[in-house]
Amino acid sequence: MGEIRLHSQWEAVCGRLRSEIGEAAYQSWLKPITVREMADGQVRLSVPTRFMQDWIVTHYADRLCMLWQGENPGIRSVDVVVLSDRPARAVEKPAVVAPLPTVPTARRMGSAEEAVVDIGAPLDPRFTFERFVVGKPNEFAYAAAQRVADATQVSFNPLFLYGGVGLGKTHLMHAIAWRIRQSDPTRNVIYLSAEKFMYRFIRALREQNTVDFKEQFRSVDVLMIDDVQFIAGKDSTQEEFFHTFNALVDQGRQIVLSADKSPSNLEGIEERLKSRLNCGLVADIHATTYELRLGILQSKADQLGVEVKRNVLEFLAHKITSNVRELEGALNRIVAHAQLVGRQITLETTQEVLHDLLRANDRRVTIEEIQKRVAEHFNIRISDMHSARRARSVARPRQVAMYLAKQLTTRSLPEIGRKFGGRDHTTVMHAVRKVDELRERDAGFAEDVELLRRMLEG
Ligand code: ADP
Ligand code: MG
């Protein structure tokens, strides 16, 4: 196909999409695109960095293809490749048509800048700042990550994020990368795991081109290495990491690292590296609180587009305290189950579906303990938990105890009923509803129940 026709089709497609997505997005994402060629119904576009490729493929590829089909019905697909020869020119002249060389892209890449495209790992499109729920345990790390992402100059170097597994370290790192990419697509942000870093380094050693390995990182503006505890004790990798790290810091490039422990507590890491790591900003992510877990669940349910009742979310937030990943997994499971069997999500189905998980997370509070504590709290006899007395002064505490038994143990309704003087499961169900209702209406009562729950959970 003639270059001129290809060129004019691109201009038309680009113009349409530009009016759809607005000027800012156009400048960031469409303008740097170079049209390469069209063959066999496939249009090939190129962009200078892997990040731009990811973004365009995720956000615009389908739309580009559709628009192009409107211009030329013979088009079947639009392919976006990374070619970083003279990115500056490509930015200025988006419609330069240059035939693709026949040699594969990877081998054509000569300069360090081109090769670096290959180093990073892809970013998870869900891991953005917008989707990160902020609470006491992570607000500092969140703020630090935002600062680094929005900074025009290097502020803290390195930013060191640490915390237990599944608490959002990787999420925050990807969020930084997405944000930087969005505000300035020409900045080269590389994210990779320490494991991958090590693997690359070992391969370079084997192939005897460690010089190339170092060169690869030269053109990186922001380097993020996840889970650096992985290189603890691996001396040669650590040495290399140290040099790369120093070189980049000296050149004023931003570095972001994560680990499961603070720099000082990392074992098997050399002292000089530790002290270098401590030089920037160290931000920890603490274990989740009940409030944060509830907030995360609510936000994830919204994202899934499903309505999950408050009591179910509260139940999950109480029960699954290990980490966010597990919490998310639990919610996904109950939502998937409900959609599959076409049933509403209730506390009962939740307990059924998550049986195994709940058992593992179970704090092993017994019904006897609950009865004892509740009786003490309301100043009644334990025997009243089993008795047939119906006076409000004993009936209400009994209902509270049943409610807590349902919330804090994995016992079924009939099992709970039996422990309360052989009552029927419908009585327990009624108690659970009643307490829920009272908690809504009476803040003092809600507080009492909450206090008891905390005491029991220890
Ligand atoms: P880590 O790297 O610390 O082990 P991840 O970043 O992989 O943890 O987080 C595990 C999962 O939990 C991810 O799906 C992530 O999106 C989610 N997650 C963690 N913290 C939050 C949060 N504060 N808000 C929303 N999602 C979160
Ligand atoms: Mg991680």
Side-chain angles (χ1 to χ4, degrees):
M1 147 176 251
E3 288 187 3
I4 303 204
R5 252 184 77 208
L6 183 61
H7 188 156
S8 71
Q9 286 178 6
W10 169 237
E11 287 209 324
V13 168
C14 214
R16 298 268 297 277
L17 194 53
R18 183 181 191 165
S19 61
E20 285 177 18
I21 65 177
E23 192 55 25
Y26 166 80
Q27 291 290 340
S28 300
W29 306 114
L30 298 186
K31 213 174 160 199
I33 294 176
T34 305
V35 183
R36 293 288 168 173
E37 63 168 0
M38 199 207 93
D40 303 328
Q42 187 180 53
V43 174
R44 184 163 291 189
L45 307 175
S46 80
V47 288
T49 66
R50 163 97 174 251
F51 289 115
M52 298 192 72
Q53 180 195 31
D54 283 349
W55 186 277
I56 290 164
V57 167
T58 338
H59 294 84
Y60 304 122
D62 290 346
R63 190 68 194 138
L64 276 173
C65 188
M66 271 178 66
L67 288 171
W68 215 311
Q69 281 165 348
E71 293 300 315
N72 178 352
I75 298 298
R76 282 181 294 103
S77 64
V78 172
D79 191 24
V80 184
V81 299
V82 180
L83 275 180
S84 51
D85 55 341
R86 269 174 291 168
R89 199 185 69 179
V91 170
E92 280 157 26
K93 293 187 187 169
V96 171
V97 181
L100 259 193
T102 41
V103 268
T105 325
R107 252 184 290 144
R108 228 179 49 76
M109 290 176 167
S111 78
E113 181 169 359
E114 287 166 347
V116 88
V117 158
D118 225 20
I119 295 177
L123 300 174
D124 191 318
R126 295 164 308 171
F127 290 1
T128 60
F129 282 124
E130 289 71 29
R131 286 185 171 216
F132 192 82
V133 181
V134 188
K136 269 261 168 314
N138 59 24
E139 62 185 4
F140 182 59
Y142 175 81
Q146 278 209 317
R147 269 288 279 283
V148 165
D150 294 332
T152 46
Q153 286 175 332
V154 172
S155 37
F156 326 106
N157 217 1
L159 169 63
F160 190 101
L161 300 169
Y162 78 93
V165 64
L167 296 181
K169 301 182 294 294
T170 300
H171 187 135
L172 280 180
M173 290 177 104
H174 285 208
I176 295 173
W178 283 123
R179 174 71 62 84
I180 294 176
R181 246 197 86 183
Q182 201 172 14
S183 53
D184 184 358
T186 61
R187 276 176 88 192
N188 201 351
V189 187
I190 294 297
Y191 163 90
L192 77 163
S193 63
E195 190 176 0
K196 195 163 175 191
F197 181 90
M198 192 181 87
Y199 167 76
R200 299 254 164 202
F201 175 61
I202 290 170
R203 198 173 66 182
L205 278 179
R206 201 173 50 226
E207 293 169 1
Q208 301 185 328
N209 55 1
T210 49
V211 177
D212 281 1
F213 178 81
K214 283 174 201 152
E215 283 290 301
Q216 285 180 338
F217 289 94
R218 265 250 189 101
S219 65
V220 174
D221 295 303
V222 183
L223 177 65
M224 310 208 207
I225 299 189
D226 206 349
D227 291 317
V228 299
Q229 74 273 4
F230 193 83
I231 56 171
K234 314 213 163 64
D235 290 347
S236 55
T237 313
Q238 220 180 100
E239 185 73 22
E240 190 48 46
F241 173 70
F242 187 66
H243 290 310
T244 307
F245 179 87
N246 282 342
L248 289 171
V249 169
D250 291 345
Q251 290 165 36
R253 312 293 166 83
Q254 179 71 53
I255 301 205
V256 182
L257 304 170
S258 87
D260 61 352
K261 295 192 189 71
S262 73
S264 325
N265 290 327
L266 279 175
E267 278 157 31
I269 297 273
E270 264 184 75
E271 280 311 316
R272 60 186 181 137
L273 181 52
K274 278 187 191 176
S275 69
R276 213 57 229 239
L277 296 179
N278 260 321
C279 279
L281 182 69
V282 178
D284 55 344
I285 307 184
H286 300 274
T288 59
T289 56
Y290 171 73
E291 285 71 25
L292 180 60
R293 290 195 294 275
L294 195 59
I296 289 172
L297 284 167
Q298 190 65 67
S299 144
K300 303 271 175 196
D302 291 348
Q303 277 160 28
L304 291 169
V306 290
E307 207 173 315
V308 185
K309 289 218 190 65
R310 184 88 184 166
N311 65 344
V312 171
L313 296 183
E314 285 175 351
F315 175 78
L316 291 176
H318 280 316
K319 284 293 190 175
I320 300 169
T321 54
S322 44
N323 66 53
V324 184
R325 190 173 297 133
E326 211 162 79
L327 197 63
E328 230 181 334
L331 182 68
N332 288 339
R333 262 169 73 182
I334 60 167
V335 168
H337 175 84
Q339 283 169 352
L340 219 62
V341 301
R343 260 166 53 199
Q344 276 220 325
I345 299 169
T346 64
L347 210 50
E348 281 71 44
T349 59
T350 300
Q351 292 185 343
E352 245 172 70
V353 175
L354 300 180
H355 193 73
D356 50 337
L357 191 63
L358 292 172
R359 192 141 282 185
N361 274 274
D362 205 355
R363 279 187 213 73
R364 313 215 174 280
V365 181
T366 63
I367 292 183
E368 288 72 20
E369 262 174 82
I370 294 172
Q371 292 173 329
K372 181 167 168 281
R373 285 282 188 163
V374 175
E376 276 167 16
H377 183 82
F378 289 102
N379 239 332
I380 63 171
R381 291 191 302 266
I382 293 191
S383 60
D384 282 331
M385 289 289 166
H386 313 279
S387 76
R389 284 182 64 202
R390 288 180 168 205
R392 167 80 60 90
S393 60
V394 295
R396 189 70 83 226
R398 199 188 293 131
Q399 286 176 327
V400 170
M402 287 182 192
Y403 171 88
L404 289 169
K406 185 69 195 144
Q407 288 277 323
L408 303 178
T409 74
T410 49
R411 302 292 173 161
S412 66
L413 295 173
E415 280 175 307
I416 296 172
R418 251 175 270 140
K419 297 262 185 180
F420 285 82
R423 285 178 159 78
D424 192 65
H425 76 277
T426 53
T427 310
V428 183
M429 214 152 73
H430 173 75
V432 171
R433 289 215 191 98
K434 185 80 201 164
V435 172
D436 258 334
E437 192 189 305
L438 284 170
R439 281 173 64 227
E440 292 278 318
R441 269 192 295 153
D442 181 347
F445 178 79
E447 223 167 84
D448 264 2
V449 176
E450 186 58 22
L451 187 78
L452 278 163
R453 189 188 59 72
R454 282 218 200 99
M455 264 168 21
L456 284 159
E457 283 183 337

Coordinates of all heavy atoms in Angstrom, one line a residue, residues 387-441:
S387 N -30.9 -21.0 79.9 CA -32.2 -21.1 80.5 C -33.3 -20.6 79.5 O -33.1 -20.1 78.5 CB -32.3 -20.2 81.7 OG -32.4 -18.8 81.3
A388 N -34.5 -20.9 79.9 CA -35.7 -20.6 79.1 C -36.2 -19.2 79.4 O -37.2 -18.8 78.8 CB -36.8 -21.7 79.3
R389 N -35.6 -18.5 80.4 CA -36.1 -17.2 80.8 C -36.2 -16.2 79.6 O -35.3 -16.2 78.8 CB -35.2 -16.6 81.9 CG -35.4 -17.3 83.2 CD -34.6 -16.6 84.3 NE -34.9 -15.2 84.5 CZ -34.1 -14.3 85.0 NH1 -32.9 -14.6 85.3 NH2 -34.5 -13.0 85.1
R390 N -37.3 -15.5 79.6 CA -37.5 -14.6 78.4 C -37.4 -13.1 78.8 O -37.6 -12.3 77.9 CB -38.8 -14.9 77.8 CG -38.8 -16.2 77.0 CD -40.1 -16.4 76.4 NE -40.1 -17.5 75.5 CZ -41.0 -17.5 74.5 NH1 -41.9 -16.6 74.3 NH2 -41.0 -18.6 73.7
A391 N -37.2 -12.8 80.0 CA -37.1 -11.4 80.4 C -36.0 -10.7 79.6 O -35.0 -11.3 79.3 CB -36.7 -11.3 81.9
R392 N -36.3 -9.5 79.2 CA -35.5 -8.7 78.3 C -34.0 -8.7 78.9 O -33.1 -8.8 78.1 CB -36.0 -7.3 78.2 CG -35.1 -6.3 77.6 CD -35.1 -6.3 76.1 NE -36.3 -6.1 75.4 CZ -36.8 -4.9 75.0 NH1 -36.2 -3.8 75.3 NH2 -38.0 -4.8 74.4
S393 N -33.9 -8.6 80.2 CA -32.6 -8.4 80.8 C -31.7 -9.6 80.6 O -30.5 -9.5 80.6 CB -32.7 -8.2 82.3 OG -33.4 -9.3 82.9
V394 N -32.3 -10.8 80.3 CA -31.4 -11.9 80.0 C -31.5 -12.3 78.5 O -30.6 -12.8 77.9 CB -31.7 -13.2 80.9 CG1 -31.4 -12.9 82.3 CG2 -33.2 -13.6 80.7
A395 N -32.7 -12.0 78.0 CA -32.9 -12.4 76.6 C -31.9 -11.6 75.6 O -31.4 -12.2 74.7 CB -34.3 -12.2 76.1
R396 N -31.8 -10.3 75.9 CA -31.0 -9.5 75.1 C -29.5 -9.9 75.1 O -28.9 -10.2 74.0 CB -31.1 -8.0 75.4 CG -30.5 -7.1 74.5 CD -31.2 -7.0 73.1 NE -32.3 -6.1 73.1 CZ -33.5 -6.3 72.6 NH1 -33.7 -7.5 72.0 NH2 -34.5 -5.5 72.6
P397 N -28.9 -10.1 76.3 CA -27.5 -10.6 76.3 C -27.4 -11.9 75.6 O -26.4 -12.2 74.9 CB -27.2 -10.7 77.8 CG -28.1 -9.8 78.5 CD -29.4 -9.7 77.6
R398 N -28.4 -12.8 75.8 CA -28.3 -14.1 75.1 C -28.2 -13.9 73.6 O -27.5 -14.6 72.9 CB -29.5 -14.9 75.5 CG -29.4 -16.4 75.3 CD -30.7 -17.1 75.5 NE -31.1 -17.1 76.9 CZ -32.4 -16.8 77.3 NH1 -33.3 -16.4 76.4 NH2 -32.7 -16.9 78.6
Q399 N -29.0 -13.0 73.1 CA -29.0 -12.7 71.7 C -27.7 -12.2 71.2 O -27.2 -12.5 70.1 CB -30.1 -11.7 71.3 CG -31.5 -12.3 71.3 CD -32.6 -11.3 71.1 OE1 -32.5 -10.2 71.4 NE2 -33.7 -11.8 70.4
V400 N -27.1 -11.3 72.0 CA -25.8 -10.8 71.7 C -24.8 -11.9 71.6 O -23.9 -12.0 70.7 CB -25.3 -9.7 72.7 CG1 -23.9 -9.4 72.5 CG2 -26.2 -8.5 72.6
A401 N -24.8 -12.8 72.6 CA -23.9 -14.0 72.6 C -24.1 -14.8 71.4 O -23.1 -15.3 70.8 CB -24.1 -14.8 73.9
M402 N -25.3 -15.1 71.0 CA -25.6 -15.9 69.8 C -25.0 -15.1 68.5 O -24.4 -15.8 67.7 CB -27.1 -16.0 69.6 CG -27.7 -17.0 70.5 SD -29.5 -17.1 70.1 CE -30.1 -18.0 71.6
Y403 N -25.2 -13.9 68.5 CA -24.7 -13.1 67.4 C -23.2 -13.2 67.3 O -22.6 -13.4 66.2 CB -25.2 -11.6 67.6 CG -24.5 -10.6 66.7 CD1 -25.1 -10.3 65.4 CD2 -23.4 -9.9 67.0 CE1 -24.6 -9.4 64.6 CE2 -22.8 -9.0 66.1 CZ -23.4 -8.8 64.9 OH -22.8 -7.9 64.1
L404 N -22.6 -13.0 68.4 CA -21.1 -13.1 68.4 C -20.6 -14.5 68.1 O -19.6 -14.7 67.4 CB -20.6 -12.7 69.8 CG -20.7 -11.1 70.1 CD1 -20.4 -10.8 71.5 CD2 -19.7 -10.4 69.1
A405 N -21.4 -15.5 68.5 CA -21.0 -16.9 68.2 C -21.1 -17.1 66.7 O -20.2 -17.7 66.1 CB -22.0 -17.9 68.8
K406 N -22.1 -16.4 66.0 CA -22.2 -16.5 64.6 C -21.0 -15.8 63.9 O -20.4 -16.3 62.9 CB -23.5 -16.0 64.1 CG -23.8 -16.1 62.7 CD -24.1 -17.6 62.3 CE -24.0 -17.8 60.8 NZ -23.4 -19.1 60.5
Q407 N -20.7 -14.6 64.5 CA -19.6 -13.8 63.9 C -18.2 -14.4 64.1 O -17.4 -14.3 63.2 CB -19.7 -12.4 64.5 CG -20.8 -11.5 64.0 CD -20.6 -10.9 62.7 OE1 -19.5 -10.5 62.4 NE2 -21.6 -10.8 61.8
L408 N -18.0 -14.9 65.3 CA -16.6 -15.2 65.6 C -16.3 -16.7 65.5 O -15.1 -17.0 65.7 CB -16.3 -14.7 67.0 CG -16.5 -13.2 67.3 CD1 -16.2 -12.9 68.7 CD2 -15.6 -12.4 66.4
T409 N -17.3 -17.6 65.3 CA -16.9 -19.0 65.2 C -17.4 -19.5 63.8 O -18.2 -18.7 63.2 CB -17.5 -19.9 66.3 OG1 -18.9 -20.0 66.0 CG2 -17.3 -19.3 67.7
T410 N -17.0 -20.6 63.5 CA -17.5 -21.2 62.2 C -18.7 -22.1 62.4 O -19.1 -22.9 61.5 CB -16.4 -21.9 61.4 OG1 -15.8 -22.8 62.4 CG2 -15.4 -21.0 60.9
R411 N -19.2 -22.1 63.6 CA -20.4 -23.0 63.9 C -21.6 -22.6 63.1 O -21.8 -21.5 62.8 CB -20.8 -22.9 65.4 CG -19.6 -23.2 66.4 CD -19.3 -24.6 66.3 NE -18.1 -24.9 67.1 CZ -17.9 -26.2 67.5 NH1 -18.7 -27.2 67.2 NH2 -16.8 -26.4 68.2
S412 N -22.4 -23.7 62.8 CA -23.6 -23.4 62.0 C -24.7 -23.0 63.0 O -24.6 -23.1 64.2 CB -24.0 -24.7 61.3 OG -24.4 -25.7 62.3
L413 N -25.8 -22.5 62.4 CA -26.9 -22.0 63.2 C -27.4 -23.1 64.2 O -27.6 -22.8 65.4 CB -28.0 -21.4 62.4 CG -27.6 -20.1 61.6 CD1 -28.7 -19.7 60.6 CD2 -27.3 -19.0 62.5
P414 N -27.7 -24.3 63.7 CA -28.2 -25.3 64.6 C -27.2 -25.7 65.7 O -27.6 -25.9 66.8 CB -28.4 -26.6 63.6 CG -28.5 -26.0 62.3 CD -27.7 -24.7 62.3
E415 N -25.9 -25.7 65.4 CA -24.9 -26.0 66.4 C -24.9 -24.9 67.5 O -24.9 -25.2 68.7 CB -23.5 -26.0 65.8 CG -23.1 -27.3 65.1 CD -21.8 -27.2 64.4 OE1 -21.5 -26.3 63.6 OE2 -20.9 -28.1 64.7
I416 N -25.1 -23.7 67.0 CA -25.1 -22.6 68.0 C -26.4 -22.7 68.9 O -26.3 -22.6 70.1 CB -25.1 -21.2 67.3 CG1 -23.7 -21.0 66.6 CG2 -25.3 -20.1 68.3 CD1 -23.6 -19.8 65.7
G417 N -27.5 -23.0 68.2 CA -28.8 -23.2 68.9 C -28.6 -24.2 70.0 O -29.1 -24.0 71.2
R418 N -28.0 -25.3 69.7 CA -27.8 -26.4 70.7 C -27.1 -25.9 71.9 O -27.4 -26.3 73.0 CB -27.1 -27.6 70.0 CG -28.1 -28.8 69.8 CD -27.4 -29.9 69.0 NE -27.5 -29.6 67.5 CZ -26.6 -29.8 66.6 NH1 -25.4 -30.2 67.0 NH2 -26.9 -29.6 65.4
K419 N -26.1 -25.1 71.7 CA -25.2 -24.6 72.8 C -26.0 -23.6 73.7 O -25.5 -23.3 74.7 CB -24.0 -24.0 72.3 CG -23.1 -24.9 71.5 CD -22.0 -25.4 72.4 CE -21.0 -26.2 71.6 NZ -19.9 -26.7 72.4
F420 N -27.1 -23.1 73.2 CA -27.9 -22.2 74.0 C -29.1 -22.9 74.5 O -30.2 -22.5 74.1 CB -28.2 -20.9 73.2 CG -27.0 -20.0 73.0 CD1 -26.1 -20.2 72.0 CD2 -26.8 -18.9 73.9 CE1 -25.0 -19.3 71.9 CE2 -25.8 -18.0 73.7 CZ -24.8 -18.3 72.7
G421 N -28.9 -23.9 75.2 CA -30.1 -24.6 75.8 C -31.0 -25.3 74.8 O -32.2 -25.4 75.0
G422 N -30.3 -25.8 73.7 CA -31.1 -26.6 72.7 C -32.1 -25.8 72.0 O -33.2 -26.3 71.7
R423 N -31.8 -24.5 71.7 CA -32.8 -23.7 70.9 C -32.7 -24.0 69.4 O -31.7 -24.6 68.9 CB -32.4 -22.2 71.1 CG -32.9 -21.8 72.5 CD -32.5 -20.3 72.7 NE -33.3 -19.7 73.7 CZ -33.1 -19.9 75.0 NH1 -32.1 -20.7 75.4 NH2 -33.9 -19.3 75.9
D424 N -33.7 -23.6 68.7 CA -33.9 -23.9 67.3 C -33.0 -23.0 66.5 O -32.7 -21.8 66.9 CB -35.3 -23.7 66.9 CG -35.6 -24.2 65.6 OD1 -35.6 -25.4 65.4 OD2 -35.9 -23.4 64.7
H425 N -32.6 -23.4 65.3 CA -31.7 -22.5 64.5 C -32.4 -21.2 64.1 O -31.7 -20.2 63.9 CB -31.2 -23.2 63.3 CG -32.1 -23.4 62.2 ND1 -33.0 -24.4 62.1 CD2 -32.4 -22.6 61.0 CE1 -33.8 -24.3 61.0 NE2 -33.4 -23.2 60.4
T426 N -33.7 -21.2 64.0 CA -34.4 -20.0 63.6 C -34.4 -19.0 64.7 O -34.3 -17.8 64.5 CB -35.9 -20.3 63.3 OG1 -36.5 -21.0 64.4 CG2 -36.1 -21.1 62.0
T427 N -34.3 -19.5 66.0 CA -34.1 -18.5 67.1 C -32.7 -17.8 67.0 O -32.7 -16.6 67.2 CB -34.1 -19.3 68.4 OG1 -35.3 -20.1 68.4 CG2 -34.2 -18.4 69.6
V428 N -31.7 -18.5 66.6 CA -30.4 -17.9 66.4 C -30.4 -16.9 65.3 O -29.9 -15.8 65.4 CB -29.3 -19.0 66.2 CG1 -28.0 -18.4 66.1 CG2 -29.4 -20.1 67.2
M429 N -31.1 -17.3 64.2 CA -31.2 -16.4 63.1 C -31.9 -15.1 63.5 O -31.4 -14.0 63.1 CB -32.0 -17.1 62.0 CG -31.5 -16.8 60.6 SD -31.9 -18.1 59.5 CE -33.7 -18.0 59.4
H430 N -32.9 -15.3 64.2 CA -33.7 -14.1 64.7 C -32.8 -13.2 65.5 O -32.8 -12.0 65.4 CB -34.9 -14.6 65.5 CG -35.7 -13.5 66.1 ND1 -36.4 -12.6 65.4 CD2 -35.7 -13.0 67.4 CE1 -36.9 -11.7 66.2 NE2 -36.5 -11.9 67.5
A431 N -32.0 -13.9 66.4 CA -31.1 -13.1 67.3 C -30.1 -12.3 66.5 O -29.9 -11.1 66.7 CB -30.4 -14.1 68.2
V432 N -29.6 -12.9 65.4 CA -28.6 -12.3 64.6 C -29.2 -11.0 63.9 O -28.6 -9.9 63.9 CB -28.0 -13.2 63.5 CG1 -27.1 -12.5 62.5 CG2 -27.2 -14.4 64.2
R433 N -30.4 -11.2 63.4 CA -31.1 -10.1 62.8 C -31.4 -9.0 63.7 O -31.2 -7.8 63.4 CB -32.4 -10.6 62.1 CG -32.1 -11.4 60.9 CD -33.2 -11.2 59.9 NE -33.1 -12.3 58.9 CZ -33.8 -13.4 58.9 NH1 -34.8 -13.5 59.7 NH2 -33.6 -14.3 58.0
K434 N -31.9 -9.4 64.9 CA -32.3 -8.4 65.9 C -31.0 -7.6 66.3 O -31.1 -6.4 66.4 CB -32.8 -9.2 67.1 CG -33.4 -8.3 68.2 CD -34.8 -7.9 67.8 CE -35.2 -6.6 68.6 NZ -36.3 -5.9 68.0
V435 N -29.9 -8.2 66.6 CA -28.7 -7.5 67.0 C -28.2 -6.6 65.9 O -27.9 -5.4 66.2 CB -27.6 -8.5 67.5 CG1 -26.3 -7.7 67.7 CG2 -28.1 -9.2 68.7
D436 N -28.3 -7.1 64.7 CA -27.9 -6.2 63.6 C -28.7 -4.9 63.5 O -28.2 -3.8 63.3 CB -28.1 -7.0 62.2 CG -26.7 -7.5 61.7 OD1 -25.7 -6.8 62.0 OD2 -26.7 -8.5 61.0
E437 N -30.0 -5.2 63.7 CA -31.0 -4.1 63.6 C -30.7 -3.1 64.8 O -30.7 -1.9 64.6 CB -32.4 -4.7 63.8 CG -33.5 -3.8 63.5 CD -34.8 -4.6 63.9 OE1 -35.0 -5.8 63.5 OE2 -35.5 -4.1 64.8
L438 N -30.5 -3.6 66.0 CA -30.2 -2.7 67.1 C -28.9 -1.9 67.0 O -28.8 -0.8 67.4 CB -30.2 -3.5 68.4 CG -31.5 -4.0 69.0 CD1 -31.3 -5.0 70.1 CD2 -32.4 -2.8 69.4
R439 N -28.0 -2.6 66.4 CA -26.7 -1.9 66.2 C -26.9 -0.7 65.3 O -26.2 0.3 65.4 CB -25.7 -2.9 65.6 CG -25.0 -3.8 66.6 CD -24.2 -4.9 65.9 NE -23.0 -4.2 65.2 CZ -22.7 -4.5 64.0 NH1 -23.4 -5.3 63.2 NH2 -21.6 -3.9 63.4
E440 N -27.7 -0.9 64.3 CA -28.0 0.3 63.4 C -28.6 1.4 64.1 O -28.3 2.6 63.9 CB -29.0 -0.2 62.3 CG -28.4 -1.2 61.3 CD -27.6 -0.5 60.2 OE1 -28.1 0.5 59.7 OE2 -26.5 -1.0 59.9
R441 N -29.6 1.1 65.0 CA -30.4 2.1 65.6 C -29.8 2.8 66.8 O -30.0 3.9 67.1 CB -31.8 1.5 66.0 CG -32.8 1.6 64.9 CD -34.1 1.3 65.5 NE -34.2 -0.1 65.9 CZ -35.0 -0.6 66.9 NH1 -35.8 0.2 67.5 NH2 -35.0 -1.9 67.2

